[in-house]
Amino acid sequence: MPAGGLAAGEDVLVVDAPPQGADPVVGTPQSFRATVARVGVPDINGLIVADLVADAADGPALATRAATGRFAIVVLPAEESK
């Protein structure tokens, strides 16, 4: 989760990340553009779930990353998101 949090309507990149403690990915990591649809409230452990809207073709790759937790979310500046 970005330090500033997420808000519905923000455009983001979901970027591949290596496992915790591993070296960074060699080369440019794969990324996927998406828009935040909803952001949930933190659960008892502080976990926050966000619903993203992305291209249907990216759905399987995004679901895999969500299942493994190996991704980072980058909020795009408003002028770059359009």
Side-chain angles (χ1 to χ4, degrees):
M1 180 66 71
L6 291 173
E10 285 185 301
D11 289 317
V12 297
L13 286 178
V14 179
V15 182
D16 278 347
Q20 188 172 356
D23 289 333
V25 176
V26 176
T28 302
Q30 189 171 10
S31 63
F32 307 88
R33 290 183 80 101
T35 301
V36 178
R38 286 178 293 279
V39 180
V41 296
D43 70 9
I44 194 165
N45 298 312
L47 179 70
I48 298 171
V49 175
D51 294 333
L52 303 179
V53 177
D55 191 76
D58 294 336
L62 288 169
T64 300
R65 282 149 182 84
T68 63
R70 292 177 48 188
F71 66 92
I73 295 178
V74 178
V75 177
L76 296 173
E79 62 272 6
E80 287 187 30
S81 66
K82 300 298 174 206

